[in-house]
Amino acid sequence: MKSFTAHVSLVALLAIGSAAQAQVSAQSIIVNPVPTSLKVNVRTNRTTTAQVVPTFAPGDHLEFYTRVNQDAYVYLFNVDAQGHVALLASNGLQAAGTFVKANTTQVFPKKGKASTFLLTLPQGVNQVFALASLMPLNLGALTARTAAQGDMTPVDVAGRPGLAQALKRVLDPLKAQSWTTDTSSYAVTRSSLTGLPAVDVNALKAQVSFQRKARLSEVYVTYADRLRAEGYLVTDARYGEREAKGVFVRKGAQLRQLTLEVTQRGTTFFVKLTRQK
C-alpha cells in the first residue's frame, strides 16, 4: 500500500510540473486550473472593495496598477464594451511583455502620462485582463495584421471568447505553474455633445472650427465616438490642457489610419482629421 501511495504522489508531481490545459472562463477570460505560487493582481486607480466596478468619465484620470509576487513578464489586455480587444503597452507594441520585478507595481500609462484617451472607449463596462508568465511569451501573432503601434494596439480577435482561445493556444504547452491571470472591470460613462459639425473622414485632410461652451475632453470624445462608429479604434493619444491628439486605425481589406486633433482656444474649437496616405 505504501509503494502504491508513493507511486500516485510521483504521478501527481509529474503532472503539476508538466503542461496543463488552460481553462476558458466567461468571467475571467482564461484561468490556470493548477494552483500556482505566482500571483498577479490588476486594478484601476479607483478600484476598492466597496467599488469593484468604478466609473470614469471624460476628463477623469484612469490608471491600471499591476503587481506580481515573483519576477514575471506581464501582458495587459483591454476588452471594451463592444468586444474590441487591445494590447496595452507604454512604449509601443510590447508583444514580448513588460518585465515586472517581484513585489513592485507597474502603472499604465506611465506616471505623468495622461490617460484620458482610454475614455474614448465605448460607454459600458470594460475589462482589463492581466497575464503573468515566468518566461516571455510570443504574442506577436495576435497583432500581426495591425500596422499601427501605440499605447493600445488592436488585437485580431473577437471579444473575450476570441482572446481566450488565442491565449489558450499559447499557454497550453507551458509548464502548469509558470503562468497565472487576473481581471478587473471598470465602466465608461459620458453625455455625448450634439450639433457639432461633421468632419470628412474620407479626405486626406479636413478641418472645422466652431464655438461651444464645453470641455476639451467632451469635444474630443464626441469626435472619437464618430470615428468608432466608422469602424476606427484608438491606438494612441496625447492629451494636454488645451489640445488632444489621437491615432485611430480601421482594419479591413486595407488598413487605414487617421489622426484626430482637437485644439481649444477659449470657447473656440479647431478639429482636424488627417488620413495617412
Side-chain angles (χ1 to χ4, degrees), residues 95-112:
T98 298
F99 183 74
V100 181
K101 294 287 291 183
N103 301 314
T104 62
T105 300
Q106 178 81 11
V107 182
F108 176 87
K110 285 189 174 181
K111 281 294 186 183

Side-chain angles (χ1 to χ4, degrees), residues 176-189:
Q177 293 187 334
S178 66
W179 63 273
T180 190
T181 63
D182 190 34
T183 60
S184 185
S185 297
Y186 65 99
V188 175
T189 181

Side-chain angles (χ1 to χ4, degrees), residues 66-71 100-105:
T66 310
R67 189 176 181 86
V68 289
N69 65 339
Q70 299 180 40
D71 291 358
V100 181
K101 294 287 291 183
N103 301 314
T104 62
T105 300

Side-chain angles (χ1 to χ4, degrees), residues 2 11 20 42 66 69 74 78 82 129 150 164 167 195 201 204 230:
K2 289 183 180 180
V11 171
V42 64
T66 310
N69 65 339
V74 177
N78 192 89
Q82 295 178 356
F129 172 78
L167 293 179
V201 298
L204 284 177
E230 295 285 339

Side-chain angles (χ1 to χ4, degrees), residues 27-80:
Q27 297 298 324
S28 301
I29 300 181
I30 195 166
V31 295
N32 193 330
V34 176
T36 65
S37 57
L38 174 64
K39 305 296 179 185
V40 63
N41 175 263
V42 64
R43 62 183 178 85
T44 76
N45 53 311
R46 291 186 178 176
T47 303
T48 64
T49 54
Q51 192 176 25
V52 180
V53 185
T55 299
F56 293 84
D60 292 344
H61 184 64
L62 169 61
E63 289 181 335
F64 299 133
Y65 300 152
T66 310
R67 189 176 181 86
V68 289
N69 65 339
Q70 299 180 40
D71 291 358
Y73 295 87
V74 177
Y75 306 80
L76 283 184
F77 296 87
N78 192 89
V79 184
D80 69 27

Side-chain angles (χ1 to χ4, degrees), residues 182-200:
D182 190 34
T183 60
S184 185
S185 297
Y186 65 99
V188 175
T189 181
R190 58 176 172 266
S191 298
S192 297
L193 297 178
T194 59
L196 300 187
V199 184
D200 187 2

Side-chain angles (χ1 to χ4, degrees), residues 4-249:
F4 176 74
T5 303
H7 175 70
V8 171
S9 299
L10 178 60
V11 171
L13 289 172
L14 290 173
I16 291 176
S18 62
Q21 296 292 305
Q23 292 184 353
V24 176
S25 168
Q27 297 298 324
S28 301
I29 300 181
I30 195 166
V31 295
N32 193 330
V34 176
T36 65
S37 57
L38 174 64
K39 305 296 179 185
V40 63
N41 175 263
V42 64
R43 62 183 178 85
T44 76
N45 53 311
R46 291 186 178 176
T47 303
T48 64
T49 54
Q51 192 176 25
V52 180
V53 185
T55 299
F56 293 84
D60 292 344
H61 184 64
L62 169 61
E63 289 181 335
F64 299 133
Y65 300 152
T66 310
R67 189 176 181 86
V68 289
N69 65 339
Q70 299 180 40
D71 291 358
Y73 295 87
V74 177
Y75 306 80
L76 283 184
F77 296 87
N78 192 89
V79 184
D80 69 27
Q82 295 178 356
H84 296 119
V85 183
L87 173 64
L88 305 183
S90 293
N91 295 304
L93 179 58
Q94 291 184 339
T98 298
F99 183 74
V100 181
K101 294 287 291 183
N103 301 314
T104 62
T105 300
Q106 178 81 11
V107 182
F108 176 87
K110 285 189 174 181
K111 281 294 186 183
K113 189 174 182 180
S115 65
T116 309
F117 73 92
L118 284 166
L119 305 181
T120 62
L121 299 168
Q123 294 193 81
V125 176
N126 285 249
Q127 189 172 32
V128 59
F129 172 78
L131 166 62
S133 172
L134 295 179
M135 61 194 72
L137 306 176
N138 183 8
L139 302 181
L142 275 68
T143 56
R145 289 194 284 172
T146 302
Q149 298 182 10
D151 283 339
M152 296 186 71
T153 302
V155 175
D156 197 24
V157 297
R160 286 189 292 269
L163 178 60
Q165 291 300 327
L167 293 179
K168 192 175 189 302
R169 289 190 289 270
V170 175
L171 296 171
D172 277 348
L174 303 183
K175 291 184 178 180
Q177 293 187 334
S178 66
W179 63 273
T180 190
T181 63
D182 190 34
T183 60
S184 185
S185 297
Y186 65 99
V188 175
T189 181
R190 58 176 172 266
S191 298
S192 297
L193 297 178
T194 59
L196 300 187
V199 184
D200 187 2
V201 298
N202 296 312
L204 284 177
K205 185 177 293 185
Q207 181 172 323
V208 298
S209 62
F210 56 89
Q211 289 192 326
R212 186 69 177 263
K213 290 184 178 180
R215 293 186 298 174
L216 175 67
S217 58
E218 294 174 324
V219 174
Y220 180 78
V221 298
T222 296
Y223 283 96
D225 282 346
R226 293 183 182 182
L227 291 178
R228 179 174 286 275
E230 295 285 339
Y232 286 90
L233 302 176
V234 63
T235 66
D236 196 15
R238 297 294 179 266
Y239 200 89
E241 184 178 350
R242 293 297 177 185
E243 184 177 37
K245 181 178 180 180
V247 178
F248 296 75
V249 297

